[in-house]
Amino acid sequence: MTNFPPPAEELRFLDAELRQLDARRAVLLARRAWLINTLYAAPPAPPVRRTEATAPSVQNVLLVLGGILLTVAAIAFTLVSWGHMGIAGRALVLGAVTLAALGVPVPLLRRGLRSTAEAVAGLGLALTVLDAYALHEVAFTGVQGTGYAAAASAVLAGVWAAYGVGIGVLAPTAPTGPVEGAEPHGAHTGPVPLRLPLPLALLAAQLPLLLWAFTVDAGPVTVTAAVLTTAAADTAVALLVSLKPVRITAAVAAICMGTSGVLAAGWLSWSASDPSSAARAAGLLALAAVIALTAAWHAPEPKLALGTALTGGLLLVAAVGGVLRVSLPGEWTVPGCLMCGVALLAAGRTRLPDPVRRGLVAASACVQALAVSWTLPLVALAVVGPLGWVERIWSTAPADARASVATDLPWPAHSATGPLVLAVVAGVLVLAGRGAAWRVQALTVALVLGVAAVFVVPAVLELPYVVGMVVQGLVVVALLALAGAAARPAEPEEPDEGATPVRSPLPATAVILALVTSLSLACVALASRTATLVVLAVLVVVFATAAAWRRESGVCCAPAALTYATALTCAIGPAAAWQPQHTALLVLAVPVIAAVVAARLESSPMTVPVEVTGSAAGLLAIGLASTDPPVLALVLGLAGVIASGTALRPDRRHIGYVAAALFLLAAWVRLASWGVGTPEAYTLPVTVPALVLGVVRRRRDPQVSSWTAYAPGLAVTLVPSLLAAWGDPDWPRPLLLGAAALAVTLLGARHHLRAPLTLGGTVLALVALHELAPYIAQVVGALPRWVPPALAGLALLALGATYEQRLRDARRVREVLGRFR
């Protein structure tokens, strides 16, 4: 509003608006009252009952139960009441009932009663089975039961299939509108065939060939062939028939029969002892493979095609592998199967459907993985077996490389071709990964397999002991060289701005493999003194060179070099007939080198691993010298010197505390080795530096409490000395301790320091009590026994009489101490 009305006009406007609001509020309140009365006066709504079963489900249950009861009644009539009627009566009754049961579904379908027609048709189909049984009992009693069952099942399958097809012709159309029992898809204008006859016919067709094989007393091969032939027929039906119930039934039947046939064929191949029986089993497995591959070719779903093609590829390899098992020596079975699996990769370059090609490639990958798993015991023995030399150091040099790894574990059987298998799979990965998105991963796995192949060659070929160690050493050098070369960043042709560089796992994998190989090599070398010294020295040089060449690898290589240097120094001592405590002095060279190298590295990622490794070597040196106190004191002092040198670095000032602790321990050990039992000799070297540090700290920060600055240093000497004085019957120690406590107390009072005043005064009082204790004991012993209780009572009465004054005095003392620092 830009033009405001006069006050009188605006007041009249506001009054009118308020009257309208009051009128509207009155209308709303009246409506609210009416609604409340209506709700209170209305009867409660009846609860709605939940329907637990729909009409179609109730109908289906009733129809199924009715069909079952009628079938049971027909069976009972056939088996029990059959003998009371003549031949004509029997034929008339069963024929009439069967024809009626098979004919009634026609008018039912025309009326749209599909579910009822299904139930009656099921009864009719069951009666045909009874008709077949009755026919055998009347007219074919001399026919063998299994053969008659085979023929009857074939005839019934044909009759049921014809009935299922013909029922749609006899009932060509359904009434317009929804059909009772059918899916709610709207009006049906075409023929509505029954669902049961065709699936049941397919199930009956599973029996003829199998029963025929049993009839002619066929062997396992013929029975398995019959099962696989039936599975092939089921597969064809599942692929060619469009009706969903028939297709689902055929697929389930094909899976069940095919699985049974494959298991039987696999057992035959495994138990075959000659090439002819293995060839027959291979033919069965090949038939199963053809069925699976045909299904994969025509499968409508890509996932189904992939799975069936994978199964077919594995069955082909199994078929060939069964023949190779009985035709070749045991060590060549796995390589033969591996070559068959590799041959499946050729399918990736054919014009087969993409799911089939991917399934065959997956089958090849499975075969290669199984072949590699077959070599795992050999590789594990080559890696873990040398650990047995740790318990037999420098005992005797083994005869060959196999004896150097098979110390306590048996050699795997038929493992001579293990390196070949590993090399073939590695080569396949290198060739298959060219230009693929997973090329780096393939090269990494190929590197692991290739190293494993070379690693086990000396043991497999039983090369001489020294030659085996040389081969393993060359593997370590090659891996470290590969890690250094692979760690170099490649220059991209067209760098992508903002793209995150992907770090290759090859360098890290190569370094890890080098460490594992070197550890196994070091354990193998423990069999001979000369080999131990030479191998450890070479490993130190190799890993130190690798760490200096590429710092990316130095995080692992530098600690490894220091570790092997520690092992080398530990080996040099026994080789020179030194005692362990003397060897400890040589081991200290490793912490010195680690400290110097860490100082040169500064903020490199190698710094912390190098320092940790050097610290571990220092602890080992202390442990070696622990049996000789004088040497232990020397080792601790030298370790303190090394720690002091490290503490000179600005980022390692806190190591100074470690250096001080080492120096203190060295002094204590030296005193203990001299037989010094005076506690002050151990505590004063701690107290003096601690008090000096406390004085320096309070000068830098006057707010620091005296308890923080001086209490630790004073307590280190006063407390042990007090304990020693209480057990010392002589007078010099209490006198000196009392004088020192008095001096500390006076200094605390002079400079208003709470910690010296409290500690010194407490120690002084306890020393005085210790000195007066004998006289107090004499006085107490001379007094009557009633005197101490009386004195205690008088003291309590006096304290109670002057309680308020005592509280005031205590507050004053607390205030005085509170003003101290």
Side-chain angles (χ1 to χ4, degrees), residues 452-507:
V454 178
F455 187 76
V456 300
V457 163
V460 170
L461 299 181
E462 297 184 79
L463 298 178
Y465 172 62
V466 177
V467 175
M469 289 191 297
V470 171
V471 171
Q472 292 183 354
L474 293 177
V475 170
V476 175
V477 174
L479 286 172
L480 293 177
L482 176 63
R488 296 178 180 177
E491 295 294 336
E493 297 180 358
E494 295 181 0
D496 186 8
E497 296 183 0
T500 302
V502 180
R503 189 179 297 274
S504 174
L506 271 177

Side-chain angles (χ1 to χ4, degrees), residues 514-590:
L515 291 174
V516 174
T517 307
S518 65
L519 180 60
S520 178
L521 173 59
C523 293
V524 169
L526 293 177
S528 171
R529 178 182 304 176
T530 304
T532 301
L533 298 176
V534 173
V535 167
L536 291 178
V538 171
L539 290 178
V540 170
V541 174
V542 168
F543 279 99
T545 305
W549 181 30
R550 298 296 300 176
R551 291 201 172 187
E552 291 80 1
S553 305
V555 177
C556 297
C557 293
L562 292 174
T563 302
Y564 288 124
T566 304
L568 178 61
T569 55
C570 292
I572 291 176
W578 292 357
Q579 296 295 323
Q581 60 270 22
H582 299 147
T583 304
L585 297 174
L586 183 60
V587 174
L588 282 179
V590 177

Side-chain angles (χ1 to χ4, degrees), residues 766-820:
L766 291 176
V767 171
L769 181 63
H770 172 265
E771 294 301 313
L772 295 176
Y775 304 101
I776 295 175
Q778 293 178 1
V779 172
V780 172
L783 292 175
R785 294 189 175 182
W786 57 267
V787 173
L791 293 177
L794 291 175
L796 291 175
L797 289 176
L799 180 63
T802 60
Y803 182 72
E804 184 177 1
Q805 182 64 33
R806 301 285 80 76
L807 289 179
R808 188 180 300 111
D809 295 341
R811 293 192 190 98
R812 291 176 180 175
V813 173
R814 186 179 64 184
E815 291 174 357
V816 171
L817 290 177
R819 288 194 293 270
F820 288 8

Side-chain angles (χ1 to χ4, degrees), residues 655-743:
I655 304 298
Y657 297 103
V658 178
L662 290 173
F663 285 132
L664 178 62
L665 289 175
W668 285 358
V669 171
R670 174 56 65 181
L671 291 174
S673 66
W674 288 339
V676 176
T678 303
E680 290 77 10
Y682 297 89
T683 58
L684 286 177
V686 181
T687 296
V688 174
L691 292 178
V692 172
L693 291 176
V695 172
V696 173
R697 185 173 182 182
R698 279 185 58 83
R699 286 182 177 179
R700 292 180 178 179
D701 186 6
Q703 301 300 324
V704 175
S705 171
S706 62
W707 287 103
T708 303
Y710 304 124
L714 292 174
V716 166
T717 294
L718 292 178
V719 174
S721 299
L722 179 63
L723 296 177
W726 272 76
D728 191 353
D730 297 329
W731 60 269
R733 182 187 299 275
L735 178 62
L736 295 176
L737 179 61
L742 177 61

